[in-house]
Amino acid sequence: MQENGKGSDSSDSTGDGTRRSRFDRRTFLGAAATTGAVALAGCTGGGSDDGTTEDSGSTDEGGDTENTDTTAASGGKQGGTLQWGGAVPVQGLDPHIDTSAASKRVLENIYEEVVALQDDYSIQPHLAESMEQSDDNTLLTFNLRQGVTFHNGKEMTSEDVLASYERVQNGDYLATGFFDYVEELRAPDDYTFEVQLTEPFAPFLAKMATAELSVMPAENAEKDMVEEPIGTGPYVFESREIETSFTMSRNEDYWGASDEDGPFIDTIVKSEVPDPSVRLQSFLAGEYDFINGIAPKDVSRVEQAPDVRFEKQFPKSLVYLGLNCDVAPFDNKDARLALDYTIDKEKVAEAALYGTGQTTASPATPGSPWVNPDIEPRPRDLDKAQEHLDAAGMSDGFTATFKIPQSYPTQVQAAEVIAADAAEVGINLEIQQITWSTWLSDVYSNRDFQATTSSYLALWYPDVSFYKFLHPNGAFFFTNWVNEDYNALVEEARTIYDEQERADLYHQATEILHEERAGHLFLWWQPSLYGAASQYKGDIGAPDGSTLQFGDNWLDR
Amino acid sequence: MATEQETERGRFTITQSQRDRIARFVRKFRSNTKAMLGFSIVVLLVLVAIFAPIIAPYPIDATNIEDRSQAPSVEHPFGTDDLGRDIFSRVVMGSRISLYVGFGAISGALAVGAVVGVVAGYAGGLTDEILMRVMDAAMAFPPVLLALTLLVVLGPELSNVVIALAFVYTPYIARVSRSAALAERNEAYVEAAVARGESDSRIVFSEVFPNCMAPMLVQGSLNVSFAILAEASLSFLGLGAQPPRPSWGLMINTGRGFMETAPWMLLFPALAIGIAVVGFNMLGDGLRDVLDPKVEAIE
Amino acid sequence: MSMYNYVFRRVGFMAVTLFFVTLIAFAVTNILPGDVALLILGPNATEQSLEALQTQLGLNRPLYVQYIDWVVGLLQGNMGESLRFGEPVAQLIAERLPRSMMLAVAATLVAVVLSVPLGVYAAVNQNEAPDVSASMFAFVGISMPIFLWGLVFILVFAVWLNLFPTGGYVSPSEDLVGSLTRLVLPAGAMGFALTAYIMRMTRSSMLEVLSEEYINLARAKGMSQRVIVLRHALKNAIIPVITVIAFQFSYAFGGVVVLEEVFFWPGIGRLTLTAIQSRDIPLIQGCILVVALIYMFSNFAADLLYAYFDPRIRYGGDD
């Protein structure tokens, strides 16, 4: 299995610049199923059960259980305007380029893909009517739907699909790397689209279900950057004012429209309200029907508020402490271990998340088979911390800067607790709040940092967790921790389809991460937290909590 | 005003007339309620800042999650914050940051601004024109906005806040000192010094400069309060003091999220800012009353 | 020197100052750290595409060439394109400037309505309880950063009393009532903070006028205090106050940066902050330049008003 998502969304407050995949375990399964790999229904069931329990549990506390039972299948009322108080302003509007979770939350409703993730975690044809895979899994043939129109009124044909794919293949877009495994793209007739792979490569189909391979009109695919999105989806882009609002309206001619599945809501207006307190106040005052990105500290208030539907999806993302293993002091393993031993992970998670999260010592999504059950976060132990400081030759401690993206209050809170803990053995972490753009350029790109915090989206795909961030060739490698044994393990794991065998490799890899105190020191897994007015019906959010799909949502008023 | 005899005797000895002036100043200062009130507040603040570690009952960084967001009580007179830290201790220690930024930035601004202003005022002509137009240009940018931009360049650190604010307030000082220097330029003692053949730089720094001190002090004192306010705004926007430093602005920024559930997190640092700003404002106002007879006549 | 010459001289000053303003705006923004191309393309961008974009945006040309280009563009009304959002800077600013204007004007109005009567009242009751209370009130206003008043107003009037929305902006053309209710809190908060200066000026100006000979004469003639104050004194005392109000307007404009963030008011202040945070250099340059221009012009207006109203001014005088 290959990398299936470019998952690295950071938490709710600012996702700009990060990327996500709307797929986690489900895509993995789907991809596995379609490539004839071992079916993983059992373990996935377990994983999703965990998630579901979280959801319904918290909803019960919210006292509005009946709302979550409302499924799209029961149908909904048409009409109305949804006022959405949004956490992170919409960024770019080109689905092939834009990396921000905030943009995906709207673009997911405007664009569609050839295939799509289903509720049973399989990948099924979407803009295609049917698809076939050759026996050797190298030829994918899609019979496209007829009568699908873009928002500009033009009918979608294989020409548009081909142009969209060639745009990514020949350009420099998020999914471009996946085309290394593509020999040829073909459109033999108006409604047939073929992908010829160089070798069996399951992740390609999963990738096709993400916005990174959204279908756009051929004329738009010629542009380097699309500024006005035109797709085939249930919602049509109306207008936006940067950092202020984003409006989309129901697609009257939606090919998939039905009384059961919508789309129902006439207009969706997203107001950009980045401050979590202001957003919550306005929501509780009735100004919005729906808000995302509730701060963990406010969860109890939302739960107690009357006529409010509270939703929690766990896990959403992993927050970690990043240590630069190329520069002093953290190029020294003992220095890293010393810091590790000073941190009380439970306290840090509690301080930031008020009981909504969970600590971890593995980069793999909780509930997945890739988690090594034998490895626990190191407990706080100042004696051991001092031993490692001595071993590092820094008995009196050391000083390092600690760059924290300021738009994440939970990470700032965590950083304060970590710095206070570490100071007790003389490790001075000097916090520097930086903007997201500074984080991207200084920390990520130039690797000019000593310690930082960041996060990535929960994804079922182990390759994202283990390869993308921790292998030197990974797309988001920046902590400079290099270990040949580790690299060999995760490289081998990419080629293996047997779950148990693969999980074993990842368990061993996790051991190395832990023993060698890799540059990623995992802090916690955190949920997505939403609030909605009680008249807001339908399933909130995409299955994995990483984005929003309004197609089957409706307003009961 | 200084006389010819004094300057001949040198600037380091205090003459009788200077002694008289100082005595007069002290008398007027003490009878001015505003000045005395402001002065008392400032002295109190300085004392709090000096003895802060003794006054503060708790270590300022000690987090205690079990005791987070506690309302004011006997153990925690100002309550605790979201990480369980004692707000009273943090507010007390925070006085050091505000005074450091206030005094630091304005000392810097005074040092540069006074030189620019006095040189411009004394030299006149093209030098004056160019220097003053540059100062005008710098003053056209709102202080917080300019400081913000500079901090993105310099990096978000407290010492950089001092530098940025010193830069921002330099033109204000320069303007005032220029006006003063302009007035002094035509005084008899300057003409006498010129007649004696003293060099320009000597005249400027040993004769004109000391006589421009009064208006600069007034402006400086007022600007300290502006700088304290600006530091709060910058920290509020995340580009000033960095956590866990107990900067009042930073505490307000955090407290903002707890406005309804733990208003004390915002209230006490806000009061502290208010007291400090009022103190320096009153002192500046009072000084102006005492030093500037024209203003005194009006009020 | 005649008024005409005075204005002419002032305009000359402004032109020179303007040159330095552009220089400062350019210098400050061009030493901003951070790779603009990287921001646009995201962390997955290749070296080649980064370089290509830098070339396309002209970021690797010598600074003085970039400056001259920028100024030439400005003279043609072209402020460049926002790197982050791909829209013309002038358009982005034109969209938001009226909103900030609306806020600043409303705030100034609030301040005038509060402070002029207060100042008159204080002057009439000099050194008595009303005077002292008015001074205290004004002192309270300036003792806290403007954003703090914003927070306090939100807490009291929006959260506790639920009288007004917590923030946001609605266009008056779409919904006049909604628009005005959203204006009340930010304008109130800023107006409150501005009250102190205008009140002080009103008070001292009134005191000065009230001590003039003709007022004493009026008193001697047995005119009522009310008539003296409102009909005669205020008319003359208001002149310097007007100039202070013009200065305060420019000051209010500076305050919007933080206040707009508190009330998520999508004006030029928030735009500037966004630009700074995303290192959108053309946008930062455009924003701070426009704010500086507004400051310069309202100060210029204040100077002219002052010169026009006050016959004692020495036109030839410096400052």
PDB file of all heavy atoms in Angstrom, chain C residues 156-185:
ATOM      1  N   VAL C 156     -20.050  43.099  28.169  1.00  0.00           N
ATOM      2  CA  VAL C 156     -21.188  43.731  28.830  1.00  0.00           C
ATOM      3  C   VAL C 156     -22.399  43.803  27.907  1.00  0.00           C
ATOM      4  O   VAL C 156     -23.483  43.331  28.241  1.00  0.00           O
ATOM      5  CB  VAL C 156     -20.804  45.136  29.331  1.00  0.00           C
ATOM      6  CG1 VAL C 156     -22.027  45.841  29.902  1.00  0.00           C
ATOM      7  CG2 VAL C 156     -19.710  45.028  30.387  1.00  0.00           C
ATOM      8  N   PHE C 157     -22.211  44.362  26.724  1.00  0.00           N
ATOM      9  CA  PHE C 157     -23.378  44.676  25.892  1.00  0.00           C
ATOM     10  C   PHE C 157     -23.807  43.523  24.980  1.00  0.00           C
ATOM     11  O   PHE C 157     -24.952  43.470  24.556  1.00  0.00           O
ATOM     12  CB  PHE C 157     -23.113  45.922  25.055  1.00  0.00           C
ATOM     13  CG  PHE C 157     -22.895  47.141  25.898  1.00  0.00           C
ATOM     14  CD1 PHE C 157     -21.626  47.695  26.020  1.00  0.00           C
ATOM     15  CD2 PHE C 157     -23.950  47.734  26.583  1.00  0.00           C
ATOM     16  CE1 PHE C 157     -21.423  48.814  26.809  1.00  0.00           C
ATOM     17  CE2 PHE C 157     -23.752  48.851  27.367  1.00  0.00           C
ATOM     18  CZ  PHE C 157     -22.486  49.393  27.487  1.00  0.00           C
ATOM     19  N   ALA C 158     -22.880  42.638  24.656  1.00  0.00           N
ATOM     20  CA  ALA C 158     -23.258  41.545  23.766  1.00  0.00           C
ATOM     21  C   ALA C 158     -23.530  40.266  24.545  1.00  0.00           C
ATOM     22  O   ALA C 158     -24.550  39.622  24.351  1.00  0.00           O
ATOM     23  CB  ALA C 158     -22.173  41.304  22.721  1.00  0.00           C
ATOM     24  N   VAL C 159     -22.622  39.927  25.463  1.00  0.00           N
ATOM     25  CA  VAL C 159     -22.761  38.641  26.137  1.00  0.00           C
ATOM     26  C   VAL C 159     -23.732  38.732  27.320  1.00  0.00           C
ATOM     27  O   VAL C 159     -24.679  37.957  27.414  1.00  0.00           O
ATOM     28  CB  VAL C 159     -21.386  38.130  26.604  1.00  0.00           C
ATOM     29  CG1 VAL C 159     -21.549  36.840  27.380  1.00  0.00           C
ATOM     30  CG2 VAL C 159     -20.467  37.919  25.407  1.00  0.00           C
ATOM     31  N   TRP C 160     -23.515  39.701  28.180  1.00  0.00           N
ATOM     32  CA  TRP C 160     -24.370  39.775  29.365  1.00  0.00           C
ATOM     33  C   TRP C 160     -25.750  40.333  29.033  1.00  0.00           C
ATOM     34  O   TRP C 160     -26.759  39.755  29.365  1.00  0.00           O
ATOM     35  CB  TRP C 160     -23.713  40.631  30.455  1.00  0.00           C
ATOM     36  CG  TRP C 160     -22.572  39.930  31.114  1.00  0.00           C
ATOM     37  CD1 TRP C 160     -22.262  38.600  31.010  1.00  0.00           C
ATOM     38  CD2 TRP C 160     -21.573  40.508  31.965  1.00  0.00           C
ATOM     39  NE1 TRP C 160     -21.130  38.322  31.734  1.00  0.00           N
ATOM     40  CE2 TRP C 160     -20.697  39.468  32.340  1.00  0.00           C
ATOM     41  CE3 TRP C 160     -21.340  41.788  32.451  1.00  0.00           C
ATOM     42  CZ2 TRP C 160     -19.608  39.682  33.172  1.00  0.00           C
ATOM     43  CZ3 TRP C 160     -20.261  41.999  33.290  1.00  0.00           C
ATOM     44  CH2 TRP C 160     -19.394  40.959  33.646  1.00  0.00           C
ATOM     45  N   LEU C 161     -25.776  41.505  28.386  1.00  0.00           N
ATOM     46  CA  LEU C 161     -27.066  42.154  28.138  1.00  0.00           C
ATOM     47  C   LEU C 161     -27.701  41.694  26.824  1.00  0.00           C
ATOM     48  O   LEU C 161     -28.883  41.908  26.605  1.00  0.00           O
ATOM     49  CB  LEU C 161     -26.892  43.679  28.128  1.00  0.00           C
ATOM     50  CG  LEU C 161     -26.322  44.255  29.431  1.00  0.00           C
ATOM     51  CD1 LEU C 161     -26.119  45.761  29.310  1.00  0.00           C
ATOM     52  CD2 LEU C 161     -27.267  43.959  30.594  1.00  0.00           C
ATOM     53  N   ASN C 162     -26.885  41.074  25.972  1.00  0.00           N
ATOM     54  CA  ASN C 162     -27.375  40.577  24.686  1.00  0.00           C
ATOM     55  C   ASN C 162     -28.095  41.651  23.866  1.00  0.00           C
ATOM     56  O   ASN C 162     -29.124  41.399  23.245  1.00  0.00           O
ATOM     57  CB  ASN C 162     -28.273  39.364  24.912  1.00  0.00           C
ATOM     58  CG  ASN C 162     -28.257  38.443  23.701  1.00  0.00           C
ATOM     59  OD1 ASN C 162     -27.530  38.711  22.736  1.00  0.00           O
ATOM     60  ND2 ASN C 162     -29.026  37.385  23.735  1.00  0.00           N
ATOM     61  N   LEU C 163     -27.575  42.863  23.905  1.00  0.00           N
ATOM     62  CA  LEU C 163     -28.199  43.966  23.178  1.00  0.00           C
ATOM     63  C   LEU C 163     -27.723  44.052  21.735  1.00  0.00           C
ATOM     64  O   LEU C 163     -28.468  44.424  20.839  1.00  0.00           O
ATOM     65  CB  LEU C 163     -27.883  45.298  23.880  1.00  0.00           C
ATOM     66  CG  LEU C 163     -28.547  45.531  25.235  1.00  0.00           C
ATOM     67  CD1 LEU C 163     -28.032  46.825  25.858  1.00  0.00           C
ATOM     68  CD2 LEU C 163     -30.061  45.592  25.073  1.00  0.00           C
ATOM     69  N   PHE C 164     -26.451  43.737  21.526  1.00  0.00           N
ATOM     70  CA  PHE C 164     -25.870  43.885  20.195  1.00  0.00           C
ATOM     71  C   PHE C 164     -25.108  42.622  19.829  1.00  0.00           C
ATOM     72  O   PHE C 164     -24.701  41.871  20.706  1.00  0.00           O
ATOM     73  CB  PHE C 164     -24.907  45.080  20.167  1.00  0.00           C
ATOM     74  CG  PHE C 164     -25.549  46.379  20.542  1.00  0.00           C
ATOM     75  CD1 PHE C 164     -25.372  46.910  21.801  1.00  0.00           C
ATOM     76  CD2 PHE C 164     -26.335  47.053  19.629  1.00  0.00           C
ATOM     77  CE1 PHE C 164     -25.973  48.111  22.156  1.00  0.00           C
ATOM     78  CE2 PHE C 164     -26.936  48.250  19.968  1.00  0.00           C
ATOM     79  CZ  PHE C 164     -26.759  48.785  21.238  1.00  0.00           C
ATOM     80  N   PRO C 165     -24.908  42.400  18.527  1.00  0.00           N
ATOM     81  CA  PRO C 165     -24.090  41.245  18.116  1.00  0.00           C
ATOM     82  C   PRO C 165     -22.639  41.414  18.589  1.00  0.00           C
ATOM     83  O   PRO C 165     -22.189  42.533  18.816  1.00  0.00           O
ATOM     84  CB  PRO C 165     -24.157  41.280  16.586  1.00  0.00           C
ATOM     85  CG  PRO C 165     -25.234  42.230  16.236  1.00  0.00           C
ATOM     86  CD  PRO C 165     -25.402  43.157  17.375  1.00  0.00           C
ATOM     87  N   THR C 166     -21.950  40.287  18.719  1.00  0.00           N
ATOM     88  CA  THR C 166     -20.577  40.342  19.218  1.00  0.00           C
ATOM     89  C   THR C 166     -19.605  40.907  18.194  1.00  0.00           C
ATOM     90  O   THR C 166     -18.495  41.264  18.538  1.00  0.00           O
ATOM     91  CB  THR C 166     -20.081  38.936  19.580  1.00  0.00           C
ATOM     92  OG1 THR C 166     -20.441  38.060  18.518  1.00  0.00           O
ATOM     93  CG2 THR C 166     -20.712  38.456  20.857  1.00  0.00           C
ATOM     94  N   GLY C 167     -20.010  40.940  16.966  1.00  0.00           N
ATOM     95  CA  GLY C 167     -19.092  41.478  15.973  1.00  0.00           C
ATOM     96  C   GLY C 167     -19.579  41.155  14.586  1.00  0.00           C
ATOM     97  O   GLY C 167     -20.733  40.763  14.392  1.00  0.00           O
ATOM     98  N   GLY C 168     -18.683  41.313  13.634  1.00  0.00           N
ATOM     99  CA  GLY C 168     -19.054  41.034  12.261  1.00  0.00           C
ATOM    100  C   GLY C 168     -19.486  42.296  11.549  1.00  0.00           C
ATOM    101  O   GLY C 168     -19.571  43.371  12.150  1.00  0.00           O
ATOM    102  N   TYR C 169     -19.725  42.163  10.277  1.00  0.00           N
ATOM    103  CA  TYR C 169     -20.057  43.322   9.474  1.00  0.00           C
ATOM    104  C   TYR C 169     -21.154  42.954   8.499  1.00  0.00           C
ATOM    105  O   TYR C 169     -21.125  41.884   7.894  1.00  0.00           O
ATOM    106  CB  TYR C 169     -18.823  43.801   8.709  1.00  0.00           C
ATOM    107  CG  TYR C 169     -19.126  44.806   7.635  1.00  0.00           C
ATOM    108  CD1 TYR C 169     -19.227  46.155   7.946  1.00  0.00           C
ATOM    109  CD2 TYR C 169     -19.318  44.407   6.313  1.00  0.00           C
ATOM    110  CE1 TYR C 169     -19.522  47.086   6.965  1.00  0.00           C
ATOM    111  CE2 TYR C 169     -19.604  45.330   5.335  1.00  0.00           C
ATOM    112  CZ  TYR C 169     -19.699  46.671   5.660  1.00  0.00           C
ATOM    113  OH  TYR C 169     -19.986  47.587   4.692  1.00  0.00           O
ATOM    114  N   VAL C 170     -22.131  43.817   8.381  1.00  0.00           N
ATOM    115  CA  VAL C 170     -23.165  43.655   7.354  1.00  0.00           C
ATOM    116  C   VAL C 170     -23.195  44.952   6.574  1.00  0.00           C
ATOM    117  O   VAL C 170     -23.157  46.034   7.165  1.00  0.00           O
ATOM    118  CB  VAL C 170     -24.545  43.383   7.992  1.00  0.00           C
ATOM    119  CG1 VAL C 170     -25.620  43.344   6.929  1.00  0.00           C
ATOM    120  CG2 VAL C 170     -24.533  42.087   8.781  1.00  0.00           C
ATOM    121  N   SER C 171     -23.261  44.841   5.270  1.00  0.00           N
ATOM    122  CA  SER C 171     -23.268  46.043   4.452  1.00  0.00           C
ATOM    123  C   SER C 171     -24.546  46.833   4.686  1.00  0.00           C
ATOM    124  O   SER C 171     -25.631  46.264   4.720  1.00  0.00           O
ATOM    125  CB  SER C 171     -23.151  45.652   2.979  1.00  0.00           C
ATOM    126  OG  SER C 171     -23.654  46.686   2.181  1.00  0.00           O
ATOM    127  N   PRO C 172     -24.440  48.170   4.860  1.00  0.00           N
ATOM    128  CA  PRO C 172     -25.636  48.970   5.106  1.00  0.00           C
ATOM    129  C   PRO C 172     -26.624  48.892   3.947  1.00  0.00           C
ATOM    130  O   PRO C 172     -27.826  49.053   4.136  1.00  0.00           O
ATOM    131  CB  PRO C 172     -25.110  50.389   5.294  1.00  0.00           C
ATOM    132  CG  PRO C 172     -23.653  50.337   5.115  1.00  0.00           C
ATOM    133  CD  PRO C 172     -23.222  48.941   4.854  1.00  0.00           C
ATOM    134  N   SER C 173     -26.133  48.645   2.754  1.00  0.00           N
ATOM    135  CA  SER C 173     -27.047  48.583   1.615  1.00  0.00           C
ATOM    136  C   SER C 173     -27.882  47.308   1.647  1.00  0.00           C
ATOM    137  O   SER C 173     -28.966  47.246   1.091  1.00  0.00           O
ATOM    138  CB  SER C 173     -26.256  48.666   0.307  1.00  0.00           C
ATOM    139  OG  SER C 173     -25.331  47.614   0.248  1.00  0.00           O
ATOM    140  N   GLU C 174     -27.374  46.300   2.340  1.00  0.00           N
ATOM    141  CA  GLU C 174     -28.131  45.053   2.414  1.00  0.00           C
ATOM    142  C   GLU C 174     -29.123  45.070   3.569  1.00  0.00           C
ATOM    143  O   GLU C 174     -30.253  44.619   3.451  1.00  0.00           O
ATOM    144  CB  GLU C 174     -27.175  43.874   2.626  1.00  0.00           C
ATOM    145  CG  GLU C 174     -26.612  43.303   1.352  1.00  0.00           C
ATOM    146  CD  GLU C 174     -25.530  42.275   1.645  1.00  0.00           C
ATOM    147  OE1 GLU C 174     -25.641  41.574   2.669  1.00  0.00           O
ATOM    148  OE2 GLU C 174     -24.572  42.189   0.863  1.00  0.00           O
ATOM    149  N   ASP C 175     -28.646  45.564   4.691  1.00  0.00           N
ATOM    150  CA  ASP C 175     -29.447  45.481   5.898  1.00  0.00           C
ATOM    151  C   ASP C 175     -29.008  46.619   6.809  1.00  0.00           C
ATOM    152  O   ASP C 175     -28.059  46.490   7.570  1.00  0.00           O
ATOM    153  CB  ASP C 175     -29.211  44.102   6.552  1.00  0.00           C
ATOM    154  CG  ASP C 175     -29.866  43.992   7.914  1.00  0.00           C
ATOM    155  OD1 ASP C 175     -30.610  44.924   8.291  1.00  0.00           O
ATOM    156  OD2 ASP C 175     -29.633  42.974   8.598  1.00  0.00           O
ATOM    157  N   LEU C 176     -29.723  47.733   6.688  1.00  0.00           N
ATOM    158  CA  LEU C 176     -29.287  48.942   7.380  1.00  0.00           C
ATOM    159  C   LEU C 176     -29.293  48.762   8.896  1.00  0.00           C
ATOM    160  O   LEU C 176     -28.327  49.107   9.585  1.00  0.00           O
ATOM    161  CB  LEU C 176     -30.172  50.121   6.977  1.00  0.00           C
ATOM    162  CG  LEU C 176     -29.695  51.481   7.491  1.00  0.00           C
ATOM    163  CD1 LEU C 176     -28.333  51.829   6.922  1.00  0.00           C
ATOM    164  CD2 LEU C 176     -30.707  52.567   7.167  1.00  0.00           C
ATOM    165  N   VAL C 177     -30.362  48.174   9.410  1.00  0.00           N
ATOM    166  CA  VAL C 177     -30.471  48.007  10.860  1.00  0.00           C
ATOM    167  C   VAL C 177     -29.381  47.069  11.373  1.00  0.00           C
ATOM    168  O   VAL C 177     -28.667  47.369  12.326  1.00  0.00           O
ATOM    169  CB  VAL C 177     -31.867  47.474  11.235  1.00  0.00           C
ATOM    170  CG1 VAL C 177     -31.945  47.229  12.743  1.00  0.00           C
ATOM    171  CG2 VAL C 177     -32.942  48.475  10.805  1.00  0.00           C
ATOM    172  N   GLY C 178     -29.239  45.923  10.683  1.00  0.00           N
ATOM    173  CA  GLY C 178     -28.214  44.963  11.071  1.00  0.00           C
ATOM    174  C   GLY C 178     -26.833  45.590  11.023  1.00  0.00           C
ATOM    175  O   GLY C 178     -25.986  45.344  11.879  1.00  0.00           O
ATOM    176  N   SER C 179     -26.636  46.399  10.025  1.00  0.00           N
ATOM    177  CA  SER C 179     -25.343  47.049   9.863  1.00  0.00           C
ATOM    178  C   SER C 179     -25.062  48.000  11.016  1.00  0.00           C
ATOM    179  O   SER C 179     -23.970  48.010  11.577  1.00  0.00           O
ATOM    180  CB  SER C 179     -25.337  47.807   8.534  1.00  0.00           C
ATOM    181  OG  SER C 179     -24.128  48.468   8.360  1.00  0.00           O
ATOM    182  N   LEU C 180     -26.072  48.781  11.375  1.00  0.00           N
ATOM    183  CA  LEU C 180     -25.871  49.756  12.441  1.00  0.00           C
ATOM    184  C   LEU C 180     -25.709  49.091  13.801  1.00  0.00           C
ATOM    185  O   LEU C 180     -24.887  49.523  14.609  1.00  0.00           O
ATOM    186  CB  LEU C 180     -27.039  50.758  12.467  1.00  0.00           C
ATOM    187  CG  LEU C 180     -27.084  51.702  11.263  1.00  0.00           C
ATOM    188  CD1 LEU C 180     -28.282  52.632  11.344  1.00  0.00           C
ATOM    189  CD2 LEU C 180     -25.797  52.524  11.161  1.00  0.00           C
ATOM    190  N   THR C 181     -26.468  48.008  14.044  1.00  0.00           N
ATOM    191  CA  THR C 181     -26.325  47.353  15.341  1.00  0.00           C
ATOM    192  C   THR C 181     -24.924  46.775  15.496  1.00  0.00           C
ATOM    193  O   THR C 181     -24.398  46.689  16.605  1.00  0.00           O
ATOM    194  CB  THR C 181     -27.343  46.212  15.542  1.00  0.00           C
ATOM    195  OG1 THR C 181     -27.248  45.323  14.441  1.00  0.00           O
ATOM    196  CG2 THR C 181     -28.754  46.737  15.657  1.00  0.00           C
ATOM    197  N   ARG C 182     -24.330  46.387  14.394  1.00  0.00           N
ATOM    198  CA  ARG C 182     -22.978  45.859  14.476  1.00  0.00           C
ATOM    199  C   ARG C 182     -21.925  46.955  14.616  1.00  0.00           C
ATOM    200  O   ARG C 182     -20.785  46.704  14.996  1.00  0.00           O
ATOM    201  CB  ARG C 182     -22.668  45.017  13.243  1.00  0.00           C
ATOM    202  CG  ARG C 182     -23.148  43.601  13.380  1.00  0.00           C
ATOM    203  CD  ARG C 182     -23.389  42.970  12.038  1.00  0.00           C
ATOM    204  NE  ARG C 182     -24.543  42.069  12.099  1.00  0.00           N
ATOM    205  CZ  ARG C 182     -24.461  40.794  12.434  1.00  0.00           C
ATOM    206  NH1 ARG C 182     -23.293  40.270  12.687  1.00  0.00           N
ATOM    207  NH2 ARG C 182     -25.529  40.047  12.496  1.00  0.00           N
ATOM    208  N   LEU C 183     -22.339  48.153  14.257  1.00  0.00           N
ATOM    209  CA  LEU C 183     -21.399  49.275  14.333  1.00  0.00           C
ATOM    210  C   LEU C 183     -21.320  49.827  15.750  1.00  0.00           C
ATOM    211  O   LEU C 183     -20.297  50.384  16.155  1.00  0.00           O
ATOM    212  CB  LEU C 183     -21.872  50.368  13.362  1.00  0.00           C
ATOM    213  CG  LEU C 183     -21.010  51.611  13.201  1.00  0.00           C
ATOM    214  CD1 LEU C 183     -19.644  51.223  12.662  1.00  0.00           C
ATOM    215  CD2 LEU C 183     -21.675  52.598  12.254  1.00  0.00           C
ATOM    216  N   VAL C 184     -22.403  49.649  16.513  1.00  0.00           N
ATOM    217  CA  VAL C 184     -22.502  50.310  17.819  1.00  0.00           C
ATOM    218  C   VAL C 184     -21.325  49.965  18.739  1.00  0.00           C
ATOM    219  O   VAL C 184     -20.660  50.864  19.251  1.00  0.00           O
ATOM    220  CB  VAL C 184     -23.836  49.949  18.511  1.00  0.00           C
ATOM    221  CG1 VAL C 184     -23.850  50.489  19.932  1.00  0.00           C
ATOM    222  CG2 VAL C 184     -24.995  50.510  17.711  1.00  0.00           C
ATOM    223  N   LEU C 185     -21.056  48.684  18.917  1.00  0.00           N
ATOM    224  CA  LEU C 185     -20.029  48.309  19.888  1.00  0.00           C
ATOM    225  C   LEU C 185     -18.616  48.747  19.490  1.00  0.00           C
ATOM    226  O   LEU C 185     -17.934  49.377  20.293  1.00  0.00           O
ATOM    227  CB  LEU C 185     -20.078  46.813  20.180  1.00  0.00           C
ATOM    228  CG  LEU C 185     -21.306  46.330  20.961  1.00  0.00           C
ATOM    229  CD1 LEU C 185     -21.129  44.884  21.377  1.00  0.00           C
ATOM    230  CD2 LEU C 185     -21.565  47.193  22.171  1.00  0.00           C
TER     231      LEU C 185
END
